């Protein structure tokens, strides 16, 4: 199996003034390049902690996290949060440039051309001089994704990026985001509480146990690769995957 991202026997403990709590327990898994993996599990089990460990915001108490065989500490990783975090006083274009500024990168012609190509390809170019309050929630999330992609990350982390959207917009944006990630050839990890969202978006679903989190199961999703997330929801296999994951999560809570 080609190893792109690898967790090797990872443990992570939280420390408070009075106690120590284990959040992650001996977690090991491999994600291949170009895969889209969703992570589900009981509330508070450590899903977002896993993303924070990958992003280098935390360091494992024990074990290793490797990207292409090297520590993730200095890796170029993109992180898309629950909120779009677009600054209202900056135009859409300047909001996207912010990702380069945070990384300490200059606005070279090559980088600006890359951003312009992304804006053109995904229908945002005509809105680049507008401000965030002039865009719909769905378009704002598309902008947030393009901002994340602007630095050409090796890995894309998505922390419940659709949770603030209404249901109809959420379905549309899932299609948009999956299409962009697929076209750009990104390797992505989505943390979500929504089983249907995980099944509709992913190649695999990682099911975590309750805290301290271990990898309870991996569900390989076998759909026609040409199906959009919305079309997957009507596929004959969708309900079977949903029942399998729901039962594992429900049994975990019992």
């Amino acid at each position: 199996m080609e190893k792109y991202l690898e967790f090797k026997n990872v443990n992570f403990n939280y420390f408070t003034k009075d106690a120590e709590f284990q959040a992650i327990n001996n977690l090991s898994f491999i994600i291949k390049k170009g895969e889209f993996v969703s992570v589900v599990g009981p509330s508070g089990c450590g899903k977002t902690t896993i993303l924070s460990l990958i992003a280098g915001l935390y360091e494992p108490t024990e074990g290793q996290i490797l990207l292409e065989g090297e520590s993730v500490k200095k890796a170029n990783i993109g992180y898309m949060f629950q909120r779009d975090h677009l600054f209202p006083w900056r135009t859409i274009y300047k909001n996207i440039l912010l990702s380069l500024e945070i990384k300490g990168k200059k606005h070279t012609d090559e980088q600006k051309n890359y951003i312009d190509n992304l804006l053109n390809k995904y229908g945002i170019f005509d809105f680049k001089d507008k401000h965030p309050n002039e865009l719909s929630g769905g378009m704002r999330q598309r902008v947030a994704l393009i901002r994340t992609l602007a630095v050409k990350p090796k890995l894309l982390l998505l922390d419940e990026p659709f949770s603030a959207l209404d249901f109809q917009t959420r379905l549309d944006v899932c299609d948009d985001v999956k299409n962009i990630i697929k076209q750009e050839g990104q390797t992505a990890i989505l943390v979500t509480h929504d089983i249907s969202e995980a099944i509709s978006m992913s190649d695999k679903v990682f099911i975590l146990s309750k805290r301290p989190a271990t990898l309870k199961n991996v569900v390989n999703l076998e759909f026609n690769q040409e199906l959009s997330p919305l079309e997957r929801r009507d596929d004959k296999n969708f309900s079977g995957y949903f029942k399998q994951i729901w039962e594992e999560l429900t049994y975990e809570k019992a």
Side-chain angles (χ1 to χ4, degrees):
M1 179 184 289
E2 180 187 351
K3 298 177 182 178
Y4 190 66
L5 177 72
E6 183 178 13
F7 267 55
K8 297 178 70 175
N9 307 115
V10 171
N11 290 277
F12 180 72
N13 296 348
Y14 283 109
F15 295 90
T16 67
K17 182 180 177 181
D18 302 313
E20 176 181 355
F21 300 94
Q22 188 175 28
I24 307 293
N25 178 31
N26 197 32
L27 184 61
S28 296
F29 61 78
I30 291 170
I31 294 175
K32 295 187 289 186
K33 188 170 184 177
E35 280 191 321
F36 192 124
V37 173
S38 285
V39 180
V40 300
S43 293
C45 73
K47 297 186 292 295
T48 296
T49 300
I50 290 171
L51 295 191
S52 297
L53 286 165
I54 297 170
L57 301 177
Y58 301 146
E59 288 193 18
T61 306
E62 293 181 81
Q64 292 179 293
I65 305 172
L66 305 174
L67 184 63
E68 294 185 302
E70 302 290 336
S71 171
V72 294
K73 286 182 182 179
K74 296 183 180 180
N76 182 13
I77 293 174
Y79 204 133
M80 190 172 170
F81 297 92
Q82 294 179 13
R83 302 282 177 173
D84 56 58
H85 295 297
L86 299 178
F87 290 132
W89 60 88
R90 296 181 71 136
T91 65
I92 295 306
Y93 193 76
K94 288 184 177 179
N95 264 289
I96 292 172
L97 289 179
L98 185 62
S99 62
L100 299 176
E101 295 168 11
I102 290 172
K103 295 281 187 180
K105 297 184 178 181
K106 295 181 180 179
H107 306 159
T108 64
D109 289 341
E110 180 183 352
Q111 288 166 324
K112 288 182 177 180
N113 287 336
Y114 178 66
I115 290 171
D116 285 345
N117 286 335
L118 288 174
L119 291 170
N120 267 313
K121 192 189 294 188
Y122 302 116
I124 302 293
F125 191 83
D126 290 343
F127 301 90
K128 69 186 182 73
D129 295 322
K130 294 187 179 296
H131 288 82
N133 65 348
E134 299 177 84
L135 271 59
S136 67
M139 289 192 72
R140 288 173 61 122
Q141 284 301 89
R142 209 184 309 173
V143 170
L145 178 57
I146 291 172
R147 178 186 59 196
T148 305
L149 293 174
V151 296
K152 299 182 180 179
K154 288 191 170 185
L155 180 66
L156 185 61
L157 308 178
L158 305 142
D159 188 2
E160 298 198 68
F162 317 117
S163 60
L165 303 173
D166 64 78
F167 183 70
Q168 183 62 50
T169 302
R170 191 167 179 158
L171 293 177
D172 291 339
V173 174
C174 280
D175 274 11
D176 283 345
V177 168
K178 179 61 185 294
N179 179 52
I180 293 171
I181 290 172
K182 183 178 179 180
Q183 288 201 40
E184 297 305 312
Q186 281 286 332
T187 307
I189 303 173
L190 169 70
V191 159
T192 180
H193 284 91
D194 189 325
I195 298 173
S196 294
E197 187 172 273
I199 298 169
S200 70
M201 297 279 286
S202 313
D203 301 309
K204 296 177 179 177
V205 178
F206 288 180
I207 303 175
L208 300 182
S209 69
K210 62 185 178 181
R211 193 176 70 183
T214 59
L215 186 57
K216 187 178 180 186
N217 198 6
V218 177
V219 179
N220 293 295
L221 304 172
E222 298 181 5
F223 290 103
N224 182 329
Q225 291 301 305
E226 300 305 312
L227 294 179
S228 70
L230 187 59
E231 290 168 335
R232 280 191 180 192
R233 290 172 182 257
D234 290 327
D235 187 274
K236 60 183 175 60
N237 295 317
F238 188 91
S239 60
Y241 289 132
F242 186 98
K243 182 179 179 182
Q244 178 185 355
I245 296 169
W246 182 82
E247 285 181 348
E248 291 209 38
L249 291 175
T250 301
Y251 176 77
E252 182 68 32
K253 294 176 184 177

